[in-house]
Amino acid sequence: MTSDPRYRALFLGAGPQMQCGVGHFTRLLQERTEKRDPGSSTTLTLTRTEGTFGESWRAVGSAQSVVCNFPIVAWKRVILAPLLALAMAKLRRRKIVLIQHEWGGLHWLRRLTYIPALLLADSIIMFSPLVRRELADDPLVGWTAGKSVLAPLPPNIEAPKETADSELRRRLAAARKAGRLVIGHFGSIYPAKQPNALLHIGAILKARGLEPLIVYIGSFIRGVDNVEEDFRARAAELGIADDVIVSGFVASDQEVFGLFNEVDAFCYPLDEGLTARRSSVLTCVPSGRPLIVTGPAWPDEFDHHRRFKQLIDRGAIVLVPRGSDDDAYADRIIAALKTPSTQAPFDFDGWWQDAAKAISVKTT
């Protein structure tokens, strides 16, 4: 066994080939940790072909703590490998830091796969007081919320200096030129984000003669739910099937922000309300477009996250009170479009330094 670990933190990752938000977050966090303290961390890559038992054992022994953003990739892949690494860390008396983004919004089968990690963790990093309450209310593992601390979540994507053209961008530009109202929604599409709610708002805007075109910049998460089928059926029922576009996977940040430039306003009607873990909402802010979002469920949601709170205070994010009907969202969208948009400087690196600092405290 290694008596004098070389690194303060070992990050469990899935390599750059895994194109998913969880993997991207881990890479950015490790990069910022290294920037703050060069040589203090390293990464163990776990895929179906990388990260043998011996490699994992040696890597765990080389660090004081193991940081796991679980699941490290899409939840149906490489589930056992990180759990095995965490078990090794426990055996080798290394500190285990688990990063937990959500709880109540997860399908119950996904929550089952998280339970071993929750039990093994010494510290649980969470980004939202609401999610911490959800975990605390769980009858089986609610006690593990006592190991949790809050950290400020940064956005996953930095606005590039230049944007890229695409067929979809040209389609949106043509729609705007023809007088259509382009409403955007960015990020993965899954039940917890209530994708169908925006369809209802689009139907109201269409009934008001505003010719909306709703563009979902992202793709459906594959799972056991019939999310896409239900979404398509609901759009057809509302008579707006031809007014909805789902981009699917977008290859580059330059293309993403090229699409953002052709959006008039973003709208996120969320049943749980806005939480401090909504990285997809934060990513839209540098576009300067109005962001209409459901207000938080609890007044303390952003007390730990001064940068997020500042965005709300200065009106970059427009809150709609929870419980409002769809007409209220339509009204806010129309009102926001009458206000000149501003593209204020966005300190992407500063957001990530805040997160790295908060999390690094728990690795010592």
Side-chain angles (χ1 to χ4, degrees):
M1 301 176 96
T2 304
S3 58
D4 186 17
R6 291 177 55 197
Y7 304 101
R8 189 180 75 244
L10 171 70
F11 289 82
L12 304 184
Q17 71 276 13
M18 288 296 183
Q19 299 293 328
C20 70
V22 175
H24 189 57
F25 180 93
T26 301
R27 290 195 296 275
L28 289 175
L29 180 60
Q30 197 268 334
E31 288 172 5
R32 276 1 185 244
T33 300
E34 273 296 287
K35 188 173 182 179
R36 292 187 72 252
D37 188 5
S40 67
S41 66
T42 188
T43 299
L44 171 63
T45 299
L46 299 172
T47 67
R48 289 172 177 173
T49 59
E50 297 175 89
T52 65
F53 183 95
E55 290 170 341
S56 297
W57 181 262
R58 289 188 293 273
V60 167
S62 72
Q64 296 175 14
S65 60
V66 176
V67 182
C68 181
N69 190 30
F70 192 81
I72 61 171
V73 292
W75 78 286
K76 289 184 179 179
R77 305 176 185 175
V78 200
I79 293 177
L80 294 180
L83 292 177
L84 179 60
L86 296 184
M88 292 178 184
K90 184 63 69 174
L91 286 172
R92 306 198 69 166
R93 298 183 180 180
R94 272 31 178 185
K95 190 171 185 179
I96 298 173
V97 180
L98 178 68
I99 300 175
Q100 184 74 39
H101 291 262
E102 54 185 320
W103 188 253
L106 295 171
H107 189 278
W108 69 270
L109 285 174
R110 291 188 68 181
R111 286 200 295 271
L112 284 178
T113 68
Y114 282 61
I115 288 176
L118 289 170
L119 298 178
L120 290 168
D122 295 296
S123 296
I124 302 172
I125 305 295
M126 308 188 87
F127 301 103
S128 164
L130 177 64
V131 177
R132 183 160 66 177
R133 288 186 179 98
E134 290 174 348
L135 178 60
D137 290 340
D138 189 288
L140 183 61
V141 291
W143 62 271
T144 62
K147 300 187 286 185
S148 68
V149 295
L150 292 173
L153 179 72
N156 248 10
I157 301 177
E158 182 176 13
K161 293 180 180 179
E162 296 182 357
T163 60
D165 195 13
S166 64
E167 182 179 347
L168 179 54
R169 191 209 65 79
R170 293 189 293 272
R171 182 178 174 185
L172 298 182
R176 294 180 75 201
K177 188 175 181 180
R180 300 198 68 176
L181 175 62
V182 178
I183 307 298
H185 182 285
F186 170 71
S188 299
I189 307 170
Y190 56 97
K193 290 177 77 172
Q194 290 83 44
N196 293 8
L198 183 53
L199 298 177
H200 291 255
I201 297 166
I204 289 173
L205 291 169
K206 185 173 183 177
R208 295 186 186 185
L210 293 173
E211 298 186 80
L213 178 62
I214 306 173
V215 56
Y216 290 79
I217 304 170
S219 54
F220 291 94
I221 288 182
R222 295 179 181 179
V224 295
D225 304 285
N226 297 320
V227 181
E228 185 170 3
E229 292 82 355
D230 294 343
F231 175 88
R232 302 290 184 188
R234 191 58 184 144
E237 289 173 10
L238 292 168
I240 60 169
D242 295 333
D243 305 309
V244 176
I245 298 173
V246 177
S247 73
F249 176 70
V250 181
S252 70
D253 299 347
Q254 289 77 13
E255 285 187 50
V256 167
F257 277 85
L259 297 175
F260 283 3
N261 288 342
E262 302 302 333
V263 169
D264 291 302
F266 291 93
C267 185
Y268 290 85
L270 302 168
D271 184 57
E272 68 178 11
L274 180 62
T275 64
R277 68 182 180 88
R278 285 293 173 196
S279 179
S280 54
V281 172
L282 291 176
T283 300
C284 300
V285 171
S287 71
R289 301 303 192 262
L291 269 144
I292 291 82
V293 190
T294 311
W298 299 88
D300 65 346
E301 180 64 33
F302 304 100
D303 285 356
H304 70 291
H305 202 327
R306 63 179 179 85
R307 292 182 189 268
F308 210 138
K309 191 173 186 300
Q310 286 169 357
L311 293 177
I312 297 170
D313 291 343
R314 70 176 174 85
I317 297 175
V318 179
L319 300 181
V320 179
R322 293 182 75 239
S324 299
D325 59 20
D326 293 335
D327 282 286
Y329 288 90
D331 292 341
R332 288 297 179 91
I333 291 172
I334 295 169
L337 292 173
K338 295 177 181 178
T339 304
S341 62
T342 56
Q343 196 165 353
F346 193 92
D347 183 13
F348 183 84
D349 190 62
W351 283 67
W352 272 98
Q353 289 295 338
D354 287 354
K357 181 179 179 181
I359 293 173
S360 67
V361 170
K362 307 307 295 182
T363 63
T364 56

